[in-house]
Amino acid sequence: MRMHRSVLKATSTRMMPRDKTLPKDLQLKKWKIYKGDKVIVTSGKDRGQTGTVAEVSRKTNSVYVRGLKLAFKNVPKTVESPTGKIQKEMAIHVSNLALVDPSTNQPTKVRVGLFTDPDTGVKEKRRYSASSGSVIHKVVDLSYQKNWKDGAFDTEPELVSKVTFQAVPGVPPFPEDVIREIQNRHKKLF
């Protein structure tokens, strides 16, 4: 939500934080780093340390890495934080990171190539290490599925598998006036 600068000056940033998204022309079009990737920091305070990507912010061209670039944040005192300070991961610009080559555990540049499966003939894009040529697979994060629980509004499995409509050949599934109304895009009267 963009607002005029006079309104932003009058608004406290504690009440309404400013939008830090970059303009569209400055946002990266092609990303080679994804959530779950193992990366190494190439410059900055944590240079040379490795970690896994926790979050990718494409609107700000930055990445959050687990356990790296930690900063103290002041929060209200609670049972979890009796001092009122917590450590939080801060964003690292994507240009200060490099993917780790899975075969050598060294930072590497990435090239994307088209791979065709010889058995099925399906084409897909894959990331390759520029130094060793080994494939860098995307990590599929399914950890959120461990906490899945059926709620009050979830449909029971036996009701989902129940067949409720039997198609009859030659008979349309809707009445003819409904089909005519769907086909009548310009709302002409018949």
Side-chain angles (χ1 to χ4, degrees):
M1 180 174 136
R2 302 255 177 195
M3 294 165 56
H4 194 265
R5 63 178 165 263
S6 62
V7 176
L8 286 175
K9 285 181 184 177
T11 308
S12 171
T13 55
R14 294 190 96 197
M15 302 303 279
M16 188 175 139
R18 290 198 179 124
D19 191 19
K20 296 179 182 175
T21 59
L22 294 170
K24 289 277 186 191
D25 57 332
L26 295 179
Q27 291 178 10
L28 290 176
K29 308 301 187 270
K30 296 179 182 177
W31 280 72
K32 297 178 181 175
I33 295 178
Y34 300 103
K35 182 179 177 180
D37 284 340
K38 191 174 179 185
V39 293
I40 189 166
V41 180
T42 57
S43 65
K45 180 182 79 169
D46 296 325
R47 180 179 180 172
Q49 295 184 9
T50 59
T52 56
V53 176
E55 182 184 343
V56 175
S57 177
R58 293 175 187 254
K59 292 183 177 181
T60 58
N61 291 345
S62 57
V63 175
Y64 293 88
V65 183
R66 282 194 189 98
L68 297 181
K69 199 174 178 185
L70 296 173
F72 283 100
K73 288 289 181 184
N74 293 323
V75 294
K77 292 183 181 181
T78 59
V79 176
E80 293 87 21
S81 60
T83 60
K85 290 185 178 183
I86 59 166
Q87 270 194 328
K88 185 178 175 185
E89 296 154 351
M90 302 304 287
I92 302 173
H93 196 269
V94 72
S95 65
N96 297 333
L97 297 172
L99 275 171
V100 174
D101 189 347
S103 59
T104 62
N105 284 338
Q106 295 293 320
T108 182
K109 291 186 178 181
V110 178
R111 64 179 177 82
V112 178
L114 198 63
F115 173 76
T116 306
D117 190 9
D119 298 333
T120 61
V122 176
K123 294 181 181 179
E124 64 177 8
K125 289 183 178 180
R126 283 193 179 174
R127 299 180 296 169
Y128 295 97
S129 168
S131 56
S132 67
S134 60
V135 178
I136 303 173
H137 294 286
K138 289 184 184 176
V139 178
V140 179
D141 183 28
L142 300 176
S143 61
Y144 61 89
Q145 291 183 357
K146 294 176 186 174
N147 301 328
W148 276 1
K149 293 180 182 171
D150 287 338
F153 297 108
D154 289 336
T155 308
E156 296 295 326
E158 56 271 0
L159 292 177
V160 172
S161 59
K162 184 178 172 184
V163 177
T164 58
F165 176 73
Q166 296 288 337
V168 179
V171 178
F174 298 110
E176 288 185 20
D177 56 336
V178 174
I179 292 176
R180 225 181 308 133
E181 188 177 329
I182 292 171
Q183 291 174 345
N184 186 11
R185 296 184 189 140
H186 304 292
K187 306 289 185 210
K188 291 181 182 176
L189 297 173
F190 291 108

